[in-house]
């Protein structure tokens, strides 16, 4: 249990890679906050059945500690309140993993630049990119006093870009490039930032 006593947050812990990472952190001994929008009675916008409650239950069933909290990571007030709650309860946050919006259906519409339907552009950027910036911002602020911490951005594809459409490509590029910039900014504060891709995977 190398992470015993540590506190972790997995944003987008509802399904897929986010759920797997949350479970692994729990198995390693961390207290894991599982956040997302899909809870009992309020299903996923994707029409999928998985919930953050189920993820937390899986961690607890394996002997770990988990807290499921419904958080809209596109909402700055929600995210600010989340970190205040964590810091009040534990006085620390050690690991933040952001796996939000990896399968957002708005980003799954394929087409060339000249075919792009821009009606959903603002929603795509808010969900897939602005949410990441908001979460990293408040996560970094919470970690700075202790001068330690790890922020991980989960993305996809082992290339700088990403397929789909111009909005999807912009989001995927930013999810890989922004952590490089944040790593340089936060290194003097003892905080490590990196992006990871699990490669192509099939989950639930």
């Amino acid at each position: 249990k190398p992470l015993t006593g540590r506190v972790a947050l997995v944003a987008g812990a509802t399904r897929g890679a986010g759920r797997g990472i949350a479970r692994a952190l729990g198995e390693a001994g961390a207290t894991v906050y599982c956040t997302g929008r899909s809870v009992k009675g309020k299903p996923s916008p994707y029409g999928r059945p998985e919930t953050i409650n189920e993820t937390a239950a899986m961690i607890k069933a394996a002997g770990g500690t988990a807290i499921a909290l419904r958080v809209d990571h596109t909402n700055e007030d929600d995210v600010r309140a989340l970190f205040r709650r964590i810091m009040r309860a534990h006085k620390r946050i050690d690991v933040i993993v952001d796996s939000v919006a990896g399968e957002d259906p708005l980003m799954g519409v394929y087409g060339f630049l000249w075919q792009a339907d821009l009606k959903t552009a603002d929603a795509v950027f808010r969900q897939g990119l602005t949410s990441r910036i908001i979460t990293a911002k408040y996560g970094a602020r919470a970690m700075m006093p202790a001068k330690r911490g790890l922020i991980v951005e989960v993305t996809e594809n082992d290339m700088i870009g990403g397929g789909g459409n111009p909005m999807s490509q912009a989001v995927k590029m930013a999810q890989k490039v922004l952590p490089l910039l944040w790593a340089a900014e936060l290194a003097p504060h003892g905080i490590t930032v990196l992006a990871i891709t699990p490669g192509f995977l099939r989950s639930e």
Side-chain angles (χ1 to χ4, degrees):
K1 303 283 186 180
L3 296 183
T4 298
R6 305 293 173 88
V7 178
L9 162 67
V10 180
T14 310
R15 66 184 67 81
R19 172 175 278 186
I21 291 167
R23 291 180 67 178
L25 289 167
E27 289 169 4
T31 295
V32 185
Y33 280 80
C34 303
T35 65
R37 295 176 297 172
S38 302
V39 295
K40 292 176 184 176
K42 292 185 178 178
S44 162
Y46 312 126
R48 299 197 54 98
E50 300 87 10
T51 66
I52 53 172
N53 310 84
E54 289 176 354
T55 303
M58 290 174 179
I59 295 169
K60 292 174 184 176
T65 303
I67 300 99
L69 293 176
R70 187 180 191 280
V71 176
D72 181 351
H73 283 266
T74 70
N75 184 308
E76 194 165 0
D77 289 340
D78 268 20
V79 176
R80 185 188 296 112
L82 166 66
F83 281 104
R84 283 178 177 168
R85 176 170 177 165
I86 292 172
M87 296 305 287
R88 278 199 303 266
H90 305 279
K91 305 295 190 292
R92 66 186 299 157
I93 177 76
D94 301 285
V95 179
I96 297 166
V97 179
D98 199 331
S99 191
V100 165
E103 55 173 341
D104 194 310
L106 293 173
M107 291 196 288
V109 180
Y110 281 73
F112 295 108
L113 167 64
W114 59 90
Q115 298 170 322
D117 179 357
L118 300 179
K119 289 194 298 292
T120 62
D122 290 347
V124 168
F125 294 140
R126 188 83 191 166
Q127 176 66 19
L129 184 53
T130 307
S131 68
R132 301 278 186 133
I133 296 170
I134 292 170
T135 304
K137 170 185 173 179
Y138 286 95
R141 286 184 175 185
M143 290 175 167
M144 280 178 172
K147 284 195 163 293
R148 64 191 304 273
L150 171 64
I151 299 174
V152 179
E153 299 292 325
V154 181
T155 182
E156 59 189 55
N157 290 331
D158 55 353
M159 62 185 81
I160 290 296
N165 56 63
M167 292 81 74
S168 176
Q169 290 162 355
V171 167
K172 297 306 179 187
M173 282 190 283
Q175 287 179 356
K176 295 160 189 166
V177 174
L178 282 175
L180 296 174
L181 304 177
W182 296 343
E185 291 178 17
L186 291 172
H189 300 278
I191 300 168
T192 299
V193 186
L194 55 87
I196 63 168
T197 172
F200 182 80
L201 61 88
R202 292 191 184 277
S203 56
E204 293 86 5

